Amino acid sequence: MIAFHALALVAFLGDAVWLVRESRALGGRQAALELAVAVAAGGVALLSLVALVSLLRARAVVVLASRASSETYLQVMGVMAVLLLFGVQVLSTGTRPALGAFCLMLSAWLMGVGLHLVPALLLSSEGFVDQLGKRTRFSELEWFELRRTQDTPPRTLLRAGRGDQLHIHTRLVDLDAEALRKVLVRAGLSAKAPRG
């Protein structure tokens, strides 16, 4: 996961610089589009930087393998297909290679993050860290719920929050629910979700 975000950081920063240089050779709307895409590339690089810092600061990390819902998979694959087709079409013209490279790199980044090829949730000694570096400390949570789903293959649904607010909602794969339950109870969370 650290390698994924380090590579993404370098690749998208490099492409942002390339896009700015490429925009100088263009005019009008094309130059404005290239600059907007350069900002987007910088945004993805910033996301990866935040995730990298958060992952490096996490302690005693345990990977919790998870899977997204089928609707999420379909949405991510649809966006990936559009980006791939557009990127290949732009690269085949040879006039704007930085834009084509951005589309292909963003498609690969979405594949890693959206299809959970990169672990989506990590358990640290202080709480949870998601694949984009968002930290949810145990101190921010009051309750959790681990429930077996009827999916095929079966999954374990993890929900955790404070009061009636949900902070974590994920479908875990091949999880030893009892081991995770012990960690969460030891951290002071109640094993009952609020009703309502």
Side-chain angles (χ1 to χ4, degrees):
M1 189 180 219
I2 289 173
F4 173 83
H5 285 298
L7 180 62
L9 174 63
V10 171
F12 281 104
L13 276 179
D15 196 52
V17 171
W18 190 13
L19 282 158
V20 169
R21 286 185 182 159
E22 195 171 89
S23 72
R24 291 181 184 157
L26 303 168
R29 286 185 185 169
Q30 289 183 335
L33 174 66
E34 294 273 328
L35 289 174
V37 174
V39 170
V44 177
L46 182 61
L47 278 174
S48 285
L49 176 63
V50 168
L52 245 156
V53 170
S54 192
L55 289 168
L56 291 172
R57 290 179 56 202
R59 290 179 283 212
V61 172
V62 174
V63 174
L64 299 175
S66 65
R67 292 290 177 262
S69 65
S70 56
E71 298 92 33
T72 302
Y73 279 118
L74 290 174
Q75 291 168 352
V76 169
M77 290 196 310
V79 172
M80 283 173 48
V82 169
L83 285 168
L84 277 170
L85 290 173
F86 184 71
V88 167
Q89 190 262 337
V90 168
L91 284 174
S92 68
T93 65
T95 56
R96 297 162 76 183
L99 180 60
F102 172 79
C103 292
L104 296 179
M105 288 188 318
L106 185 58
S107 179
W109 188 84
L110 284 173
M111 183 188 312
V113 172
L115 300 182
H116 293 220
L117 299 180
V118 173
L121 193 63
L122 304 171
L123 180 65
S124 77
S125 59
E126 298 174 345
F128 297 95
V129 181
D130 76 7
Q131 60 198 6
L132 295 179
K134 180 183 173 242
R135 298 170 67 119
T136 306
R137 298 181 189 281
F138 292 133
S139 59
E140 298 169 25
L141 302 171
E142 292 177 343
W143 57 265
F144 73 93
E145 178 184 47
L146 288 167
R147 182 171 26 109
R148 196 84 165 152
T149 67
Q150 301 301 317
D151 299 339
T152 305
R155 305 284 188 225
T156 300
L157 183 66
L158 166 64
R159 297 173 65 233
R162 175 180 283 279
D164 60 359
Q165 291 184 332
L166 186 63
H167 289 267
I168 294 173
H169 183 275
T170 191
R171 295 168 63 232
L172 301 173
V173 178
D174 298 326
L175 170 76
D176 181 3
E178 195 52 41
L180 181 57
R181 180 182 313 279
K182 287 177 182 173
V183 169
L184 296 177
V185 168
R186 226 177 304 133
L189 278 67
S190 165
K192 293 195 182 201
R195 298 291 169 220

